[in-house]
Each structure stands twice: as structure tokens, then as C-alpha cells.
Amino acid sequence: MNAILYIHGKGGSAMESEHYKLLFPDCEMIGLDYQTFTPWETGQEIRIAVKELKRRFENVILIANSIGAFFSMNAGIYEIVQKAYFISPIVNMEKLISDMMKWANVTEQELESKGVIHTDFGEDLSWKYLNYVRSHPIEWRVPTRILYGSKDHLMSIETITDFANKHQATLTVMEGGEHWFHTEEQMLFLDNWIAMR
């Protein structure tokens, strides 16, 4: 029997994994409610969960949403996971942080001197986080399928396509889809995308 580990995005929860149970009726579905929110800490949580599942199941398959995909790629699990499904993944965190700094009109010098800067759009910019991302390039060698919405406001189609090409990932684009897949139409598209396996 195979296990599927679901890693939610920001503001999500492990309960979202319930949606995927019907799509994988022959697998054990587990949602991870991680307790930390940095790649070095959350990556460790994910690694522990994957190693535990690998002890009990023949294969571990990953479904990760948004920043959950970024955390997963920082978990050092590419030799343990059989395959992955990424939904609206954050695949270039340095680019996203750089974009957020532009939105907040914050320079690197300001961020370095202050350490953490709170923004009007609710995100904290962190010099430590930025440095971690720069010094830990993503290493990912798992057969991966990516679902991306053409109206995703966090990652550009160029960034996603570049990642997919470099990692031999299969990319599916939903025209009119958003970063957060949540409408009836978007969820139907997502379900059909997973069923294509």
C-alpha cells in the first residue's frame, strides 16, 4: 500500500487532505499540520514525517500546495518520495521575496539593518530567511506534476516554466486559474488533473 502525504499552503490545514481521499482510494492519506513556518524548521518536520511513512509503506507520494511545495523541496526528501503533485507551488522563493521587497519599497540594505520588516500586505520580510534561501538552492529530483493557474499573482508563468524545464516536471496550466484553487470550476479542474495519472 502507498501513503500520500499532503502538505498545505499558508493559512491551510491538514484537513484539506480529506479532499484527496476519494481521488486516491487505494492509498493511505495523511495531512501534516506543521507547526513551524521557516524552510529550515518546516523542512525538518516534513522529513521526519516522510521517513516515518517510508518505514510503514512501500511508497510515499507527495501532494503539496503553494509554500508547502517550497518547504517540501527544502526537506531533503527527494530520495525517499516516489512522485509529487505540486499545486501552485512556490518554486523560486528568492524571486518572490525580491518581488515583495519591491511591493513594500524595501531595499536589501534596509532589510539587513533591521532584520525583519513588517509590510502593509501582511507578510514579514526577513533577512535571515532571504539568506537561507540564497545559500540553499533547491535540489529536487522527484518525478513531479505541477498545476498552475494563469492568474497566479505570486509566481509568473516564466518562473514556473523555467523550474519545470530544469526539473523535468510536467506542467499543466489552467487558464483563468488563481494561486488558490478553491472555486467549483477550479477544484473540478484539479480533480481531473490528478485523475490523469
Side-chain angles (χ1 to χ4, degrees), residues 126-149:
S126 160
W127 180 249
K128 182 180 178 183
Y129 202 127
L130 178 57
N131 273 319
Y132 177 90
V133 169
R134 285 177 172 165
S135 60
H136 294 80
I138 284 171
E139 196 172 347
W140 189 248
R141 298 194 293 270
V142 176
T144 300
R145 291 178 58 205
I146 298 172
L147 178 60
Y148 174 81

Side-chain angles (χ1 to χ4, degrees), residues 16-68:
E16 292 168 22
S17 64
E18 294 292 316
H19 175 83
Y20 299 91
K21 275 188 176 174
L22 294 173
L23 302 172
F24 293 91
D26 53 343
C27 298
E28 181 80 20
M29 180 68 63
I30 299 102
L32 179 66
D33 255 331
Y34 51 86
Q35 303 300 306
T36 57
F37 300 96
T38 61
W40 54 93
E41 293 172 306
T42 314
Q44 183 67 12
E45 284 191 67
I46 293 168
R47 183 173 174 78
I48 290 167
V50 168
K51 287 177 89 171
E52 173 60 29
L53 288 175
K54 188 61 180 169
R55 278 195 283 270
R56 294 166 40 213
F57 297 91
E58 187 179 352
N59 294 304
V60 180
I61 297 164
L62 183 71
I63 300 177
N65 208 316
S66 187
I67 200 170

